[in-house]
Amino acid sequence: MNQRIKGFDLARAYAIFGMFIVNFNFSFGSIISPSDKIGWFLSLFTGNSTAIFIICAGMGVSLMTNKSNFSKEDKSILKSKILKRSWFLFALGLLLYNWWQGDILHFYGGYMHFAALLLFIPKKYYLWFAFLSIVIFYILFLIIPIETGWDFTNYNYIDFWTPIGFLRNTFYNGWNSLFPWFAYFLLGMWLGRLDWRIKNTKRNIFSIGLILFIAIQILRQFAKNGYFNSFWSDFITAEYFPPFLPFMLVTIGFAFMVISICMYIGEKFSKNNIINALQKTGQMTLSHYVIHLTLGMILFVQLSNKHYPNGLIQTEDPVASIYILIYAISFFFVSVLFSVFWSKKFKNGPLETLMRKISG
Protein backbone atom coordinates (compact mmCIF):
# COMPACT_ATOMS: atom_id res chain seq x y z
CA MET A 1 0.00 0.00 0.00
CA ASN A 2 2.86 2.39 0.76
CA GLN A 3 4.42 1.81 -2.67
CA ARG A 4 1.04 2.21 -4.26
CA ILE A 5 0.59 5.61 -2.61
CA LYS A 6 4.13 6.62 -3.62
CA GLY A 7 3.44 6.03 -7.30
CA PHE A 8 0.15 7.87 -7.00
CA ASP A 9 1.92 10.89 -5.51
CA LEU A 10 4.55 10.79 -8.26
CA ALA A 11 1.75 11.10 -10.80
CA ARG A 12 0.37 14.08 -8.91
CA ALA A 13 3.84 15.69 -8.89
CA TYR A 14 4.03 15.24 -12.67
CA ALA A 15 0.55 16.74 -13.05
CA ILE A 16 1.35 19.86 -11.04
CA PHE A 17 4.57 20.38 -13.00
CA GLY A 18 2.55 20.19 -16.22
CA MET A 19 0.06 22.69 -14.85
CA PHE A 20 2.92 25.08 -14.06
CA ILE A 21 3.91 24.95 -17.72
CA VAL A 22 0.35 25.27 -19.03
CA ASN A 23 -0.70 28.17 -16.81
CA PHE A 24 2.50 30.20 -17.11
CA ASN A 25 2.39 29.67 -20.87
CA PHE A 26 -1.28 30.60 -21.09
CA SER A 27 -0.74 33.88 -19.30
CA PHE A 28 2.58 34.94 -20.77
CA GLY A 29 3.30 32.81 -23.84
CA SER A 30 1.85 32.13 -27.28
CA ILE A 31 -0.28 29.11 -26.42
CA ILE A 32 -2.82 29.70 -29.21
CA SER A 33 -0.36 29.45 -32.09
CA PRO A 34 3.17 28.49 -31.02
CA SER A 35 5.66 29.13 -33.82
CA ASP A 36 8.77 27.46 -32.39
CA LYS A 37 9.71 23.96 -31.29
CA ILE A 38 9.81 24.80 -27.58
CA GLY A 39 6.43 26.51 -27.84
CA TRP A 40 5.09 23.39 -29.53
CA PHE A 41 6.60 21.30 -26.72
CA LEU A 42 4.92 23.47 -24.07
CA SER A 43 1.57 23.08 -25.83
CA LEU A 44 1.81 19.30 -25.46
CA PHE A 45 1.09 19.68 -21.74
CA THR A 46 -2.26 21.38 -22.40
CA GLY A 47 -5.06 18.98 -21.52
CA ASN A 48 -2.81 16.09 -20.55
CA SER A 49 -1.71 17.63 -17.25
CA THR A 50 -5.23 18.66 -16.30
CA ALA A 51 -6.56 15.20 -17.09
CA ILE A 52 -3.92 13.56 -14.88
CA PHE A 53 -4.60 16.11 -12.13
CA ILE A 54 -8.33 15.29 -12.13
CA ILE A 55 -7.85 11.53 -12.48
CA CYS A 56 -5.43 11.57 -9.53
CA ALA A 57 -8.02 13.52 -7.54
CA GLY A 58 -10.51 10.74 -8.18
CA MET A 59 -7.93 8.14 -7.22
CA GLY A 60 -7.31 9.97 -3.95
CA VAL A 61 -10.98 9.84 -2.99
CA SER A 62 -11.20 6.19 -3.98
CA LEU A 63 -8.08 5.24 -2.01
CA MET A 64 -9.63 6.81 1.11
CA THR A 65 -12.61 4.50 0.83
CA ASN A 66 -11.06 1.36 -0.69
CA LYS A 67 -11.92 -1.14 2.01
CA SER A 68 -14.60 -3.78 2.21
CA ASN A 69 -15.18 -3.78 5.96
CA PHE A 70 -16.42 -0.25 6.61
CA SER A 71 -19.29 -0.07 9.05
CA LYS A 72 -22.33 2.07 8.31
CA GLU A 73 -20.98 4.66 10.73
CA ASP A 74 -17.54 4.64 9.04
CA LYS A 75 -19.15 5.22 5.67
CA SER A 76 -21.16 8.13 7.04
CA ILE A 77 -18.04 9.73 8.52
CA LEU A 78 -16.08 9.35 5.29
CA LYS A 79 -18.93 10.76 3.23
CA SER A 80 -19.18 13.76 5.55
CA LYS A 81 -15.42 14.33 5.39
CA ILE A 82 -15.37 14.29 1.59
CA LEU A 83 -18.39 16.58 1.36
CA LYS A 84 -16.71 19.10 3.68
CA ARG A 85 -13.54 18.96 1.59
CA SER A 86 -15.57 19.51 -1.56
CA TRP A 87 -17.14 22.63 -0.05
CA PHE A 88 -13.73 23.89 1.06
CA LEU A 89 -12.30 23.45 -2.44
CA PHE A 90 -15.37 24.99 -4.03
CA ALA A 91 -15.13 28.09 -1.83
CA LEU A 92 -11.36 28.37 -2.26
CA GLY A 93 -11.73 28.04 -6.01
CA LEU A 94 -14.36 30.76 -6.24
CA LEU A 95 -12.12 33.04 -4.19
CA LEU A 96 -9.20 32.26 -6.50
CA TYR A 97 -11.36 32.81 -9.59
CA ASN A 98 -11.24 36.54 -8.93
CA TRP A 99 -7.50 36.32 -9.52
CA TRP A 100 -7.28 33.41 -12.00
CA GLN A 101 -10.28 32.87 -14.27
CA GLY A 102 -9.03 29.47 -15.35
CA ASP A 103 -9.45 28.06 -11.81
CA ILE A 104 -10.05 24.35 -11.53
CA LEU A 105 -10.57 24.08 -7.76
CA HIS A 106 -14.25 25.02 -7.71
CA PHE A 107 -14.86 22.38 -10.39
CA TYR A 108 -12.73 19.97 -8.35
CA GLY A 109 -15.04 20.65 -5.39
CA GLY A 110 -18.02 19.87 -7.61
CA TYR A 111 -16.51 16.57 -8.71
CA MET A 112 -15.90 15.59 -5.08
CA HIS A 113 -19.41 16.57 -4.04
CA PHE A 114 -21.01 14.26 -6.58
CA ALA A 115 -18.40 11.59 -5.94
CA ALA A 116 -19.44 11.53 -2.28
CA LEU A 117 -22.76 10.09 -3.45
CA LEU A 118 -20.99 7.23 -5.26
CA LEU A 119 -18.31 6.23 -2.78
CA PHE A 120 -19.21 2.65 -1.96
CA ILE A 121 -20.74 1.32 -5.15
CA PRO A 122 -19.03 -1.47 -7.17
CA LYS A 123 -16.16 -0.03 -9.23
CA LYS A 124 -17.67 -1.04 -12.59
CA TYR A 125 -20.36 1.58 -12.08
CA TYR A 126 -17.73 4.33 -12.08
CA LEU A 127 -17.13 3.54 -15.75
CA TRP A 128 -20.85 3.66 -16.49
CA PHE A 129 -21.25 7.01 -14.73
CA ALA A 130 -18.19 8.33 -16.58
CA PHE A 131 -19.88 7.36 -19.84
CA LEU A 132 -23.11 9.02 -18.67
CA SER A 133 -21.20 12.23 -17.87
CA ILE A 134 -19.98 12.40 -21.46
CA VAL A 135 -23.45 11.65 -22.84
CA ILE A 136 -24.98 14.46 -20.76
CA PHE A 137 -22.38 16.87 -22.16
CA TYR A 138 -23.43 16.03 -25.73
CA ILE A 139 -27.10 16.42 -24.87
CA LEU A 140 -26.33 19.88 -23.50
CA PHE A 141 -24.18 20.57 -26.57
CA LEU A 142 -27.21 19.98 -28.81
CA ILE A 143 -29.32 22.35 -26.71
CA ILE A 144 -26.94 25.19 -25.76
CA PRO A 145 -24.36 26.68 -28.15
CA ILE A 146 -20.93 25.92 -26.69
CA GLU A 147 -19.78 29.54 -27.07
CA THR A 148 -22.62 30.91 -24.92
CA GLY A 149 -21.23 33.30 -22.31
CA TRP A 150 -17.73 33.40 -23.81
CA ASP A 151 -15.80 36.33 -25.24
CA PHE A 152 -13.17 34.46 -27.24
CA THR A 153 -11.11 37.57 -27.97
CA ASN A 154 -9.58 37.18 -24.51
CA TYR A 155 -11.29 34.01 -23.19
CA ASN A 156 -13.39 35.89 -20.64
CA TYR A 157 -16.62 34.30 -19.41
CA ILE A 158 -18.86 37.35 -19.43
CA ASP A 159 -21.79 36.32 -17.19
CA PHE A 160 -19.99 33.99 -14.76
CA TRP A 161 -21.30 35.83 -11.70
CA THR A 162 -24.96 35.65 -12.75
CA PRO A 163 -27.06 32.65 -11.61
CA ILE A 164 -27.66 31.27 -15.12
CA GLY A 165 -24.11 32.00 -16.26
CA PHE A 166 -22.61 30.36 -13.18
CA LEU A 167 -24.69 27.21 -13.62
CA ARG A 168 -23.94 27.05 -17.35
CA ASN A 169 -20.21 27.49 -16.77
CA THR A 170 -20.10 25.01 -13.89
CA PHE A 171 -22.07 22.22 -15.51
CA TYR A 172 -21.52 22.64 -19.23
CA ASN A 173 -19.09 25.04 -20.89
CA GLY A 174 -16.59 26.20 -18.31
CA TRP A 175 -12.92 25.31 -18.70
CA ASN A 176 -13.36 22.10 -16.70
CA SER A 177 -17.13 21.88 -16.32
CA LEU A 178 -18.70 18.92 -14.51
CA PHE A 179 -19.93 17.56 -17.83
CA PRO A 180 -17.90 15.96 -19.29
CA TRP A 181 -14.82 16.48 -17.06
CA PHE A 182 -16.35 14.56 -14.15
CA ALA A 183 -15.69 11.48 -16.31
CA TYR A 184 -11.96 11.87 -15.61
CA PHE A 185 -12.62 11.97 -11.87
CA LEU A 186 -14.74 8.83 -12.07
CA LEU A 187 -12.05 7.03 -14.07
CA GLY A 188 -9.67 7.97 -11.28
CA MET A 189 -12.03 6.44 -8.73
CA TRP A 190 -12.07 3.28 -10.81
CA LEU A 191 -8.26 3.22 -10.98
CA GLY A 192 -8.09 3.74 -7.22
CA ARG A 193 -10.06 0.55 -6.69
CA LEU A 194 -7.54 -1.56 -8.62
CA ASP A 195 -4.78 -3.52 -6.90
CA TRP A 196 -1.64 -1.82 -8.18
CA ARG A 197 0.60 -4.23 -6.29
CA ILE A 198 -0.18 -6.77 -9.02
CA LYS A 199 2.26 -6.40 -11.94
CA ASN A 200 -0.45 -7.09 -14.51
CA THR A 201 -2.47 -4.10 -13.28
CA LYS A 202 0.28 -1.67 -14.23
CA ARG A 203 0.91 -3.50 -17.49
CA ASN A 204 -2.77 -3.66 -18.48
CA ILE A 205 -3.53 -0.02 -17.69
CA PHE A 206 -0.41 1.07 -19.57
CA SER A 207 -1.43 -1.07 -22.57
CA ILE A 208 -4.96 0.36 -22.60
CA GLY A 209 -3.51 3.87 -22.45
CA LEU A 210 -1.01 3.20 -25.22
CA ILE A 211 -3.67 1.73 -27.54
CA LEU A 212 -6.02 4.66 -26.92
CA PHE A 213 -3.27 7.22 -27.42
CA ILE A 214 -1.93 5.71 -30.66
CA ALA A 215 -5.39 5.10 -32.10
CA ILE A 216 -6.51 8.71 -31.63
CA GLN A 217 -3.20 10.08 -32.89
CA ILE A 218 -3.54 8.01 -36.06
CA LEU A 219 -7.14 9.18 -36.45
CA ARG A 220 -6.01 12.80 -36.02
CA GLN A 221 -3.32 12.35 -38.61
CA PHE A 222 -5.93 11.14 -41.09
CA ALA A 223 -8.06 14.17 -40.23
CA LYS A 224 -5.14 16.56 -40.82
CA ASN A 225 -4.47 14.92 -44.18
CA GLY A 226 -8.00 15.65 -45.37
CA TYR A 227 -9.60 12.20 -45.13
CA PHE A 228 -12.70 13.66 -43.40
CA ASN A 229 -14.95 16.61 -44.10
CA SER A 230 -14.46 19.83 -42.13
CA PHE A 231 -17.02 18.92 -39.45
CA TRP A 232 -15.39 15.62 -38.54
CA SER A 233 -11.88 17.03 -38.89
CA ASP A 234 -12.71 19.78 -36.39
CA PHE A 235 -14.32 17.24 -34.08
CA ILE A 236 -11.35 14.87 -34.17
CA THR A 237 -8.60 17.49 -33.84
CA ALA A 238 -10.28 19.74 -31.22
CA GLU A 239 -8.07 20.46 -28.20
CA TYR A 240 -9.31 21.14 -24.65
CA PHE A 241 -12.28 23.32 -25.58
CA PRO A 242 -14.71 21.99 -26.51
CA PRO A 243 -13.64 18.73 -24.84
CA PHE A 244 -14.85 16.44 -27.60
CA LEU A 245 -14.53 12.66 -27.29
CA PRO A 246 -11.25 12.24 -29.26
CA PHE A 247 -9.57 14.80 -26.99
CA MET A 248 -10.86 13.00 -23.91
CA LEU A 249 -9.74 9.60 -25.16
CA VAL A 250 -6.23 10.73 -26.10
CA THR A 251 -5.72 12.49 -22.75
CA ILE A 252 -7.10 9.48 -20.88
CA GLY A 253 -4.70 7.26 -22.82
CA PHE A 254 -1.77 9.51 -21.95
CA ALA A 255 -2.84 9.67 -18.29
CA PHE A 256 -3.10 5.88 -18.05
CA MET A 257 0.45 5.54 -19.37
CA VAL A 258 1.90 8.18 -17.04
CA ILE A 259 0.13 6.84 -13.95
CA SER A 260 1.23 3.27 -14.71
CA ILE A 261 4.83 4.39 -15.19
CA CYS A 262 4.72 6.37 -11.94
CA MET A 263 3.33 3.35 -10.10
CA TYR A 264 6.20 1.24 -11.46
CA ILE A 265 8.83 3.84 -10.55
CA GLY A 266 7.38 4.30 -7.07
CA GLU A 267 7.62 0.56 -6.48
CA LYS A 268 11.01 0.02 -8.14
CA PHE A 269 12.82 3.02 -6.61
CA SER A 270 10.94 3.47 -3.36
CA LYS A 271 14.07 4.39 -1.39
CA ASN A 272 15.51 6.85 -3.89
CA ASN A 273 15.90 10.37 -2.44
CA ILE A 274 14.69 12.11 -5.60
CA ILE A 275 11.62 9.89 -5.77
CA ASN A 276 10.88 10.58 -2.10
CA ALA A 277 11.22 14.33 -2.69
CA LEU A 278 8.81 14.14 -5.65
CA GLN A 279 6.41 12.10 -3.54
CA LYS A 280 6.34 14.86 -0.92
CA THR A 281 5.70 17.36 -3.72
CA GLY A 282 2.79 15.28 -4.97
CA GLN A 283 1.29 15.23 -1.49
CA MET A 284 1.09 19.04 -1.53
CA THR A 285 -0.43 19.64 -4.96
CA LEU A 286 -3.25 21.79 -3.57
CA SER A 287 -0.77 24.17 -1.94
CA HIS A 288 1.48 24.20 -5.00
CA TYR A 289 -1.47 24.86 -7.29
CA VAL A 290 -2.50 27.97 -5.35
CA ILE A 291 1.08 29.16 -4.79
CA HIS A 292 2.02 29.01 -8.47
CA LEU A 293 -1.11 30.95 -9.45
CA THR A 294 -0.44 33.67 -6.87
CA LEU A 295 3.22 34.05 -5.92
CA GLY A 296 4.34 32.34 -9.12
CA MET A 297 2.37 34.72 -11.34
CA ILE A 298 3.43 37.80 -9.35
CA LEU A 299 7.09 36.84 -9.63
CA PHE A 300 6.77 36.17 -13.37
CA VAL A 301 5.21 39.62 -13.83
CA GLN A 302 8.21 41.19 -12.13
CA LEU A 303 10.74 39.16 -14.10
CA SER A 304 9.08 39.62 -17.50
CA ASN A 305 7.92 43.22 -17.03
CA LYS A 306 4.46 42.23 -18.26
CA HIS A 307 0.99 42.90 -16.92
CA TYR A 308 -0.83 40.04 -15.21
CA PRO A 309 -3.82 39.12 -17.44
CA ASN A 310 -5.98 37.54 -14.67
CA GLY A 311 -6.18 34.20 -16.40
CA LEU A 312 -7.09 35.78 -19.73
CA ILE A 313 -5.16 35.78 -23.00
CA GLN A 314 -2.06 37.98 -22.85
CA THR A 315 -2.48 41.04 -25.12
CA GLU A 316 1.18 42.08 -24.95
CA ASP A 317 4.02 40.50 -26.88
CA PRO A 318 4.47 36.97 -25.53
CA VAL A 319 7.45 35.89 -23.46
CA ALA A 320 9.79 33.61 -25.38
CA SER A 321 8.94 29.94 -24.91
CA ILE A 322 12.41 29.06 -23.63
CA TYR A 323 12.06 31.51 -20.75
CA ILE A 324 8.65 30.12 -19.82
CA LEU A 325 10.08 26.61 -19.79
CA ILE A 326 13.07 27.67 -17.68
CA TYR A 327 10.80 29.52 -15.26
CA ALA A 328 8.39 26.56 -14.93
CA ILE A 329 11.26 24.14 -14.28
CA SER A 330 12.86 26.51 -11.78
CA PHE A 331 9.58 27.10 -9.97
CA PHE A 332 8.96 23.37 -9.80
CA PHE A 333 12.47 22.81 -8.42
CA VAL A 334 11.82 25.38 -5.69
CA SER A 335 8.45 23.71 -5.02
CA VAL A 336 10.19 20.36 -4.53
CA LEU A 337 12.67 21.92 -2.09
CA PHE A 338 9.83 23.61 -0.22
CA SER A 339 7.97 20.30 0.01
CA VAL A 340 11.01 18.51 1.43
CA PHE A 341 11.74 21.14 4.08
CA TRP A 342 8.07 21.62 4.97
CA SER A 343 7.54 17.88 5.44
CA LYS A 344 10.34 17.76 8.03
CA LYS A 345 8.08 19.63 10.45
CA PHE A 346 4.55 19.09 9.13
CA LYS A 347 2.69 16.03 7.89
CA ASN A 348 0.65 17.87 5.24
CA GLY A 349 1.06 20.96 3.08
CA PRO A 350 -0.24 24.36 4.28
CA LEU A 351 -3.58 24.30 2.50
CA GLU A 352 -3.91 20.54 2.94
CA THR A 353 -3.57 21.05 6.68
CA LEU A 354 -6.23 23.77 6.68
CA MET A 355 -8.59 21.58 4.65
CA ARG A 356 -8.14 18.66 7.02
CA LYS A 357 -8.77 20.83 10.07
CA ILE A 358 -12.04 22.00 8.52
CA SER A 359 -13.19 18.61 7.25
CA GLY A 360 -11.88 16.43 10.07
Side-chain angles (χ1 to χ4, degrees):
M1 179 65 71
N2 187 42
Q3 292 172 341
R4 171 183 180 177
I5 295 296
K6 184 164 292 189
F8 161 66
D9 285 327
L10 290 180
R12 295 204 295 181
Y14 170 86
I16 199 65
F17 170 65
M19 295 190 80
F20 286 4
I21 289 178
V22 170
N23 292 334
F24 292 143
N25 194 35
F26 185 88
S27 287
F28 300 101
S30 53
I31 193 170
I32 300 300
S33 54
S35 57
D36 60 302
K37 291 182 179 180
I38 296 178
W40 174 82
F41 172 74
L42 297 181
S43 69
L44 294 179
F45 288 86
T46 303
N48 291 319
S49 301
T50 307
I52 296 172
F53 189 76
I54 298 173
I55 289 173
C56 285
M59 289 182 70
V61 169
S62 191
L63 288 169
M64 286 177 61
T65 59
N66 192 13
K67 291 182 181 179
S68 58
N69 57 347
F70 282 126
S71 67
K72 188 175 181 180
E73 183 181 359
D74 290 335
K75 291 181 179 180
S76 179
I77 292 172
L78 281 169
K79 181 178 178 180
S80 175
K81 182 181 295 187
I82 290 172
L83 283 173
K84 289 177 182 177
R85 291 185 182 184
S86 74
W87 301 334
F88 172 85
L89 292 169
F90 186 75
L92 179 62
L94 288 183
L95 182 64
L96 188 62
Y97 183 87
N98 293 283
W99 170 261
W100 173 255
Q101 292 197 19
D103 170 68
I104 195 175
L105 291 185
H106 67 288
F107 294 117
Y108 190 160
Y111 309 147
M112 286 188 70
H113 185 88
F114 285 100
L117 308 176
L118 307 171
L119 288 178
F120 303 104
I121 63 175
K123 65 177 181 288
K124 66 179 180 180
Y125 291 112
Y126 294 141
L127 299 179
W128 283 110
F129 279 111
F131 175 74
L132 179 62
S133 176
I134 296 172
V135 170
I136 291 174
F137 168 75
Y138 282 102
I139 292 173
L140 293 172
F141 184 80
L142 293 174
I143 299 172
I144 307 171
I146 193 68
E147 68 274 9
T148 305
W150 281 103
D151 175 3
F152 285 118
T153 58
N154 60 2
Y155 282 83
N156 179 37
Y157 204 86
I158 300 170
D159 60 347
F160 180 84
W161 292 112
T162 67
I164 188 65
F166 182 81
L167 289 173
R168 186 195 321 113
N169 182 281
T170 301
F171 285 92
Y172 168 54
N173 71 344
W175 279 123
N176 306 108
S177 54
L178 266 71
F179 305 116
W181 289 84
F182 186 40
Y184 290 106
F185 195 94
L186 290 164
L187 281 175
M189 294 182 72
W190 177 75
L191 291 176
R193 290 285 188 90
L194 303 179
D195 190 346
W196 288 91
R197 293 168 294 188
I198 301 174
K199 183 182 295 186
N200 280 345
T201 299
K202 293 185 280 289
R203 183 181 300 159
N204 292 341
I205 295 301
F206 180 86
S207 299
I208 292 171
L210 181 63
I211 291 170
L212 272 178
F213 185 81
I214 292 176
I216 299 302
Q217 293 292 17
I218 291 173
L219 186 63
R220 285 182 162 182
Q221 198 58 47
F222 277 118
K224 291 175 182 177
N225 290 334
Y227 283 85
F228 305 101
N229 61 35
S230 59
F231 173 84
W232 287 111
S233 292
D234 291 343
F235 177 80
I236 293 168
T237 59
E239 294 283 358
Y240 208 101
F241 188 87
F244 289 142
L245 186 60
F247 164 80
M248 296 193 69
L249 292 177
V250 77
T251 51
I252 287 169
F254 186 80
F256 276 21
M257 289 189 291
V258 169
I259 290 170
S260 300
I261 291 171
C262 287
M263 290 294 185
Y264 173 80
I265 292 173
E267 180 179 345
K268 189 74 174 179
F269 305 101
S270 60
K271 300 187 183 301
N272 182 276
N273 289 334
I274 295 177
I275 298 302
N276 289 330
L278 291 173
Q279 180 192 17
K280 291 178 173 61
T281 306
Q283 291 171 340
M284 301 184 192
T285 50
L286 174 59
S287 294
H288 292 312
Y289 176 81
V290 174
I291 290 170
H292 96 277
L293 289 177
T294 50
L295 296 180
M297 291 293 179
I298 292 171
L299 180 59
F300 207 151
V301 165
Q302 298 302 315
L303 293 174
S304 63
N305 198 30
K306 302 288 184 182
H307 292 95
Y308 174 63
N310 192 31
L312 306 177
I313 289 293
Q314 178 64 261
T315 56
E316 301 175 299
D317 291 336
V319 176
S321 300
I322 183 62
Y323 296 128
I324 293 174
L325 179 60
I326 291 172
Y327 183 75
I329 292 173
S330 301
F331 200 86
F332 182 72
F333 179 73
V334 173
S335 299
V336 174
L337 291 179
F338 171 80
S339 302
V340 172
F341 286 109
W342 181 274
S343 65
K344 291 182 183 296
K345 290 188 176 182
F346 305 98
K347 183 179 179 181
N348 301 299
L351 286 175
E352 286 82 1
T353 299
L354 177 61
M355 182 174 67
R356 280 166 171 77
K357 285 185 176 180
I358 292 174
S359 64

